[in-house]
Amino acid sequence: MSGDPTGAAPRRLRVAIDGPSGAGKSTVARALAKALGYTYLDTGAMYRALAATAMSQGIAADDEEALGRLARTLRFRFEPGPAGGQRVFVDGRDVTNEIRSSAVGMAASAVSALPAVRAALTGEQRRLGEGGGVVMEGRDIGTVVFPDAEVKFYLDAAPDERGRRRLRDLEARGESPSLGEVRRDIAKRDHQDSTRALAPLRPADDAVRIDSTRMGVDEVVQEMRRVVRERE
Ligand code: DC
């Protein structure tokens, strides 16, 4: 039942969640999608999958022509994974684990600045999300991919807290960088992602901003659900 007095079914919206790395986007986006019965789409995973494929094929991170061609021809597939997670396949190959390394994260940030790459992946993301009923997380969803998204969030957290969260993620997958290294990587990625010419990371003017530094996951998701419910 919807809260609508006419009894109409709630609209299935496009929900954009943008923000810097380590802000908690993936965790809350997954939980929000589950709570709403929406599809979760991790656009960073597409840039990561492209970067990982390029690395495995020996394509340099600044070879725009080859990377653009690769971005236009790769076939992405997402499948539900354990614990509300998602498995990512490119051209039928399961790349879920390999795309989470810090090396692939840095390479994804580099290739994502290239216009030919952005054109291809932005087009694919629009195709995947156009029907609504999606929670899409990334850097430019509310500004470029779906500037007319019905709901936009900009999720941020203090750099120290983002560093600690990212360190926990990397440790869980067996990497053991120091907190200092993780913080430096995050600062570098923030700088690259927010100063590039095309689709830089920035809050959309009409985004609801949430600072998750001192908030638990449930609290953030609850706040987001409240905003979504108002617009259904
Ligand atoms: O969210 P993430 O850490 O998985 O993203 C990896 C990189 O991909 C990030 O540093 C910048 C890029 N990216 C982007 O440019 N636009 C998006 N919508 C999502 C990610």
Side-chain angles (χ1 to χ4, degrees):
M1 278 295 287
S2 79
D4 184 330
T6 65
R11 295 192 298 152
R12 291 178 62 77
L13 313 179
R14 288 160 302 169
V15 179
I17 304 182
D18 291 305
S21 52
K25 296 188 302 293
S26 300
T27 311
V28 301
R30 272 203 293 265
L32 181 66
K34 186 162 182 244
L36 296 169
Y38 282 15
T39 302
Y40 162 61
L41 205 82
D42 174 2
T43 63
M46 296 167 76
Y47 289 96
R48 284 172 180 265
L50 174 69
T53 307
M55 284 159 85
S56 72
Q57 295 185 6
I59 299 173
D62 60 354
D63 186 344
E64 179 163 6
E65 204 187 311
L67 287 162
R69 203 176 319 118
L70 194 59
R72 287 189 296 276
T73 51
L74 282 185
R75 287 288 152 257
F76 297 94
R77 188 159 52 85
F78 296 93
E79 280 184 9
Q86 192 166 58
R87 300 211 75 79
V88 185
F89 297 81
V90 275
D91 290 346
R93 192 166 69 88
D94 187 341
V95 295
T96 313
N97 295 329
E98 91 181 59
I99 63 172
R100 291 297 147 205
S101 73
S102 40
V104 170
M106 288 307 291
S109 174
V111 303
S112 72
L114 301 172
V117 167
R118 295 213 78 82
L121 295 195
T122 299
E124 181 70 4
Q125 289 156 14
R126 287 186 180 137
R127 197 183 63 71
L128 290 166
E130 67 192 353
V134 285
V135 176
M136 290 179 87
E137 62 144 310
R139 302 291 187 289
D140 64 336
I141 310 304
T143 51
V144 175
V145 178
F146 287 122
D148 58 345
E150 290 80 9
V151 189
K152 300 178 188 177
F153 295 106
Y154 188 83
L155 187 65
D156 206 346
D160 277 4
E161 177 60 19
R162 292 197 281 124
R164 280 191 290 272
R165 290 177 188 170
R166 185 41 48 98
L167 180 62
R168 275 200 299 272
D169 290 346
L170 292 171
E171 282 175 346
R173 59 181 309 286
E175 289 191 43
S176 47
S178 69
L179 182 57
E181 282 170 327
V182 175
R183 282 193 187 138
R184 271 194 298 282
D185 272 10
I186 284 189
K188 185 167 175 205
R189 216 132 70 80
D190 282 357
H191 179 74
Q192 280 177 185
D193 296 346
S194 54
T195 57
R196 67 186 177 216
L198 207 57
L201 168 66
R202 67 168 182 85
D205 294 336
D206 51 350
V208 175
R209 290 170 175 235
I210 300 178
D211 182 333
S212 72
T213 308
R214 287 184 189 78
M215 290 171 84
V217 173
D218 290 351
E219 215 180 328
V220 175
V221 173
Q222 230 174 36
E223 171 62 9
M224 289 180 163
R225 284 186 73 175
R226 192 186 59 71
V227 175
V228 172
R229 227 174 277 129
E230 279 173 358
R231 302 187 190 183
E232 277 176 337

